[in-house]
Structure formats: C-alpha cells, structure tokens
C-alpha cells in the first residue's frame, strides 16, 4: 500500500491500528470536521482533538501557543516520545491538519492511518461509543514553533514576486474567482475572489482515492510534478487554501509521500490574501 | 452520558386550538437558552448530540422530493421540509449521519418550532446560536452551515405565509 512513497513509514494501515492502537507508547487521535462525530463512534482507545476548540486560539487568529499545546498533550496522555496516530473523516483532511500542528510544535513520532475513518469503516472494523478515555497526564515539553513548515503573508508576497512555486488547493471555482467559496460549503469571508498570481490549482482531494487512502505515488507525481510542474529538488513550495486546512493535506502529500524537502503551509490563505490591501490577485484559470 | 438537569421542552400539539397556558415560542427559546447556558461547553455539545439522536426519520412519502429540499449552503447533505398544516409550523428533515452537529441543530429547531404560529417563528432573532452558547462551544467557523439552516426555515415560513 505504502510502497513507492518517499516516507512510507509515516503511514499505517487499519490492520496495524487494530493490532497496535492500544500499545503503550501509542496514542490514537481522531480529528474530524464535525466536532461530535467522534461521540457517535470512534476507534477504541482513541482520544479526540478538535481542529477549532483544541488547536486554534480562541481570541487571536492563530494556532494555540506552546503552553496550551503542552497542556493539550498532557491531558491527552501524549508524551514527547509517544507515537501519535492521526485519523479522521473526509480523506483524513483534519487528521493532516492535526498532524501538521503537531509538527509545528516539533512532535517527532506522528503517523497517519491511511484512509482514516472511511477505510476503517469499509473494513468493517468496530467503532465504540464509550466516553473519551482518560490517560495519565504527561509532562510534555513542546519545541518550536517550526517555522520551516509555516508561511506568513510577507514571505508569501516575496515568494510570489520571485515567482516561487505556489499550489492553490481550493476548488476551480474558488481559484478562478468565480465563487468566493467552495460549492455548498460555508465560507469565511474574503472581499476579493481569485488566486495568488502564479499559483497552480490542484484541488486537495485529487490526492485521495475513493476509499480515503492516498493515491499511489505515480498518480501523485502526475498531479504535482507533471501537471503543477513542481521540482522535487527545486525551491520551497507554498501551499494554501482558504484557512490552511485543506492545504495541510497537500502539504503532507508533498512532504512525506513525494519527499519534497521544503514545503510550507500558508495558513492565512485566501481569507487573509483576499482581504489584504494592495496585494496582487489573479482571476481566471491562469 | 445524558444531561439530566434539563427541563423537558413543552411542545404544543399543532392540531390543538390556541391554549393560553401554552408557552409562546419566545418563552420556550428563553427556557432552552437558559438550559444551554447552565451547561459547560462539553455538556452543551452532549445536549446537541441528544437532539441529533432523537431527530425522527424523514417520512417515506417525502423522500422522492428530497433533492429539491436540499440546503445547498450546508456542506453535508441536509434536507428540510417546512410546512404549515393548519397554520402551525411543522418541520421534517434528514441530515447525513456524518454531520451530527448540524443534525442536532436541525432537530433542536424542528422540536422547538413545532406547533408555533408562523408569526412567532418569524420573530425569532437570528442570534439564536449565540444565545444557546453554541458559538462558544463549536467555534465561529462552524456557524455558517447552522445559520444557513436557520435562515432556510425562516425563509420558507415567510414565503409560505406570504403566499397564503
């Protein structure tokens, strides 16, 4: 399944999780779009981390800081040497978001359950409705933030001026500016529609197969190296979407499955760029 | 774990004639808001899940017209049928299982609005999610879909009242 990927060791199968999900030193983390989905059934032993209430600061538009991250890990029974296995709904979209946030704070052993909830359910494996398990608190020490994986707006502007590679992972309608938001999706407002000039549009879900797993490497290469023209030995790639969540899925694919060394997620994304005064914007397909 | 401290929501039967002892919709919403506000954020979510679990299935006779009743602003499939039998609001709905938050809110509105005169539904203020403490519990970025559900119901009621 994971053959051919640059870092196959970051993916685990449903078989592996069934056998090792409750091993000491392993913590399963479910992250979903819907904050209550975990409560309707989750993998036995998994804890819940919510992308909004746990990983985002409630006041400042930012991720939580180091101290809050340490507290979160401690409460979830995650130590610095714990192997954290992320999984979730919607092709692991939010699992990748949580994975990226853990990397921001320097957590070393992060894995993704390939296919997430969908593959688990397709394999007819059990989900339990028991309350979230409590594990002994840890004394977690966060590192970072690791800004080698996070881009801010000024850096994105310079990157754009130098014609650095940019991947816009939103839907074609959002990219062209025809829609200000995803079809059928609630959107956070932007005053202008379009994309960052020079960006290539590869909607994030094109990297996922029907069963929620990642597509095989040759198909991913076709998308990102041939269609988007990325050079694995080339300069830093910046991925963005609307608020940096869909692009963390693409960031994962580029960094771990295709092995690009320097990939950043611009979490300000279109809700920042589309509201900034005087920055360049392109409309239409190019 | 069920939330035990919650008062039962009093819902008048829409077939009954007006009974002055029944609380108005505004009073029922006040009660509901007080209940939600008395809970912490985690408990509010659990209460919302209880609402989700008791949304009745969409009656068979409605399923053929489902697609024309889809709330397109919601990312997951939500189908709403707003009706005014005998001049009282009645809502039937179906919401995808993978969206228990939306399902809970739809169920809460259907249950709370059931049997109310349309005028009372039209007077419900759009800050309902805030009053229930759900913005705090769910996060701002989950509000658009829920607001879309609320606006669809009000819009449908207004349209049908206007048409009569």
């Amino acid at each position: 399944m994971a053959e051919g990927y640059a870092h196959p060791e970051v993916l685990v199968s449903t078989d592996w999780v069934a056998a090792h999900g409750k091993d000491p030193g392993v913590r399963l983390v479910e992250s979903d779009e819907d904050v209550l989905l975990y409560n309707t059934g989750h993998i036995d032993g998994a804890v819940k981390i919510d992308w909004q209430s746990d990983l985002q600061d409630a006041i400042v538009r930012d991720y939580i800081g180091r101290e809050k991250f340490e507290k979160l890990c401690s409460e979830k029974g995650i130590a610095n040497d714990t192997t954290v296995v992320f999984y979730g709904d919607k092709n692991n979209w939010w699992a990748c978001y949580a994975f990226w946030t853990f990397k921001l704070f320097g957590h070393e052993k992060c894995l993704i359950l390939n296919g997430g909830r969908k593959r688990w359910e397709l394999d007819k494996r059990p989900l339990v409705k028991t309350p979230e398990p409590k594990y002994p608190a840890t004394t977690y020490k966060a590192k970072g933030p690791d800004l080698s994986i996070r881009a801010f707006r000024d850096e994105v502007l310079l990157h754009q001026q130098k014609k650095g590679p940019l991947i816009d992972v939103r839907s074609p309608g959002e990219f062209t500016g025809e829609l200000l938001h995803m079809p059928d999706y609630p959107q956070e407002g932007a005053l202008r529609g379009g994309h960052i000039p020079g960006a290539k549009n590869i909607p994030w879900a094109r990297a996922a197969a029907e069963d929620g797993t990642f597509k095989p490497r040759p198909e991913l290469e076709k998308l990102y190296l041939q269609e988007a023209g990325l050079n694995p030995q080339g300069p830093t790639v910046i991925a963005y979407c609307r608020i940096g969540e869909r692009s963390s899925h693409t960031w994962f694919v580029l960094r771990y499955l295709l092995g690009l060394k320097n990939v950043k997620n611009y979490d300000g994304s279109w809700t920042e760029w589309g509201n900034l005064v005087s920055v360049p914007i392109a409309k239409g397909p190019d | 774990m069920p939330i035990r401290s919650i008062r039962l929501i009093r819902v008048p039967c829409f077939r009954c004639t007006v009974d002055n002892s029944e609380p108005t919709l505004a009073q029922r919403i006040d009660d509901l808001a007080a209940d939600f506000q008395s809970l912490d954020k985690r408990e509010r979510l659990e209460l919302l899940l209880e609402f989700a679990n008791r949304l009745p299935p969409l009656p068979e006779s409605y399923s053929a017209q489902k697609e024309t009743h889809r709330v397109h602003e919601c990312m997951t499939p939500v189908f709403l049928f707003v009706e005014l039998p005998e001049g009282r609001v009645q809502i039937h709905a179906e919401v995808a299982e993978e969206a228990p938050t939306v399902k809970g809110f739809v169920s809460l509105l259907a249950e709370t609005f059931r049997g109310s005169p349309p005028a009372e539904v039209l007077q419900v203020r759009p800050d309902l999610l805030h009053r229930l403490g759900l913005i705090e519990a769910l996060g701002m970025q989950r509000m658009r879909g829920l607001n879309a559900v609320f606006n669809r119901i009000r819009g449908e009621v207004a349209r049908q009242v206007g048409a009569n």
Side-chain angles (χ1 to χ4, degrees):
Chain A
M1 171 175 68
E3 270 96 322
Y5 294 137
H7 296 282
E9 70 279 5
V10 297
L11 293 179
V12 288
S13 64
T14 55
D15 278 342
W16 188 93
V17 167
H20 300 288
K22 294 174 94 173
D23 284 1
V26 172
R27 183 71 64 244
L28 297 177
V29 170
E30 176 161 336
S31 281
D32 299 314
E33 162 83 50
D34 192 302
V35 67
L36 283 173
L37 189 57
Y38 171 97
N39 304 53
T40 69
H42 54 87
I43 299 179
D44 194 20
V47 295
K48 165 164 110 171
I49 291 186
D50 181 55
W51 61 281
Q52 276 190 66
S53 51
D54 291 322
L55 297 177
Q56 292 185 354
D57 190 278
I59 312 290
V60 180
R61 182 179 171 186
D62 204 345
Y63 295 92
I64 51 172
R66 264 172 73 162
E67 277 178 25
K68 279 189 185 155
F69 184 78
E70 288 173 346
K71 187 164 171 275
L72 176 70
C73 286
S74 170
E75 283 170 3
K76 302 289 177 184
I78 294 168
N80 283 76
D81 61 351
T82 301
T83 298
V84 183
V85 184
F86 298 92
Y87 74 95
D89 63 349
K90 301 197 161 57
N91 305 326
N92 272 329
W93 167 357
W94 304 97
C96 288
Y97 183 87
F99 181 108
W100 183 89
T101 312
F102 269 65
K103 284 295 176 194
L104 186 70
F105 289 106
H107 192 82
E108 280 168 29
K109 298 178 191 166
C110 296
L111 306 176
I112 294 275
L113 164 58
N114 198 7
R117 270 184 80 102
K118 190 170 187 184
R119 186 68 256 173
W120 185 267
E121 289 184 273
L122 285 172
D123 288 353
K124 308 227 179 311
R125 294 184 186 273
L127 295 172
V128 297
K129 289 188 181 182
T130 46
E132 184 177 356
K134 290 270 179 231
Y135 295 101
T138 64
T139 47
Y140 194 93
K141 281 281 157 225
K143 294 181 212 151
D146 177 4
L147 298 182
S148 74
I149 61 170
R150 185 180 188 190
F152 292 93
R153 63 178 194 202
D154 294 348
E155 179 186 355
V156 176
L157 184 59
L158 280 173
H159 186 81
Q160 186 271 334
Q161 286 164 347
K162 287 190 297 187
K163 301 196 187 312
L166 284 155
I167 296 287
D168 184 319
V169 315
R170 296 174 301 158
S171 63
E174 292 172 280
F175 181 84
T176 58
E178 178 194 337
L179 293 172
L180 264 181
H181 56 89
M182 268 192 279
D184 300 344
Y185 242 71
Q187 60 115 0
E188 288 81 356
L191 289 173
R192 293 288 185 271
H195 57 271
I196 303 176
K200 301 286 184 200
N201 183 214
I202 307 284
W204 73 282
R206 289 180 70 189
E210 196 59 34
D211 66 351
T213 58
F214 294 102
K215 281 183 178 166
R217 186 165 185 172
E219 288 185 47
L220 296 177
E221 286 183 344
K222 215 163 144 186
L223 272 180
Y224 296 102
L225 308 190
Q226 291 163 34
E227 198 176 320
L230 297 182
N231 173 3
Q233 271 76 49
T236 297
V237 176
I238 294 179
Y240 73 93
C241 55
R242 177 189 49 173
I243 53 169
E245 12 72 83
R246 284 172 279 176
S247 48
S248 47
H249 187 273
T250 299
W251 169 85
F252 178 85
V253 170
L254 296 177
R255 175 71 187 80
Y256 292 95
L257 306 186
L258 292 178
L260 273 67
K261 292 275 184 293
N262 300 305
V263 188
K264 291 189 173 193
N265 186 20
Y266 169 38
D267 58 273
S269 275
W270 197 253
T271 53
E272 179 170 81
W273 197 270
N275 286 317
L276 280 174
V277 176
S278 294
V279 297
I281 286 176
K283 271 188 170 313
D286 297 309
Chain B
M1 206 172 295
I3 308 289
R4 297 187 192 283
S5 61
I6 297 305
R7 279 164 278 184
L8 282 175
I9 297 161
R10 291 161 293 178
V11 179
C13 167
F14 65 83
R15 294 185 193 285
C16 303
T17 50
V18 178
D19 176 347
N20 288 334
S21 69
E22 289 295 349
T24 62
L25 177 58
Q27 286 163 341
R28 275 190 280 149
I29 288 175
D30 286 346
D31 286 352
L32 193 62
D35 287 341
F36 267 91
Q37 291 290 351
S38 71
L39 303 171
D40 67 25
K41 286 195 272 185
R42 189 184 51 81
E43 292 168 332
R44 283 176 209 165
L45 294 180
E46 283 172 10
L47 181 56
L48 197 60
L49 187 59
E50 285 185 27
F51 274 103
N53 289 337
R54 63 174 187 250
L55 179 70
L58 189 68
E60 193 73 28
S61 53
Y62 289 76
S63 38
Q65 318 145 45
K66 250 169 59 175
E67 275 311 316
T68 53
H69 288 258
R70 181 163 179 167
V71 183
H72 286 283
E73 302 89 324
C74 284
M75 61 173 217
T76 33
V78 176
F79 307 95
L80 279 181
F81 291 81
V82 181
E83 297 172 340
L84 299 177
E86 299 179 33
R88 298 296 172 121
V89 172
Q90 178 172 266
I91 299 163
H92 293 292
E94 185 177 294
V95 183
E97 288 301 318
E98 73 260 25
T101 298
V102 182
K103 191 173 177 189
F105 188 59
V106 166
S107 173
L108 178 153
L109 293 180
E111 205 171 296
T112 311
F113 289 180
R114 186 168 65 219
S116 294
E120 290 189 12
V121 170
L122 295 176
Q123 278 164 15
V124 177
R125 298 204 308 267
D127 63 353
L128 184 61
L129 284 160
H130 172 69
R131 292 187 62 205
L132 296 174
L134 286 174
I135 298 182
E136 209 186 336
L138 291 167
M140 268 311 281
Q141 288 165 102
R142 290 191 168 103
M143 290 302 114
R144 296 240 175 195
L146 301 185
N147 279 321
V149 166
F150 179 80
N151 290 334
R152 170 65 69 96
I153 291 172
R154 279 173 45 113
E156 264 304 303
V157 171
R159 190 183 64 77
Q160 292 181 36
V161 169
N164 286 338

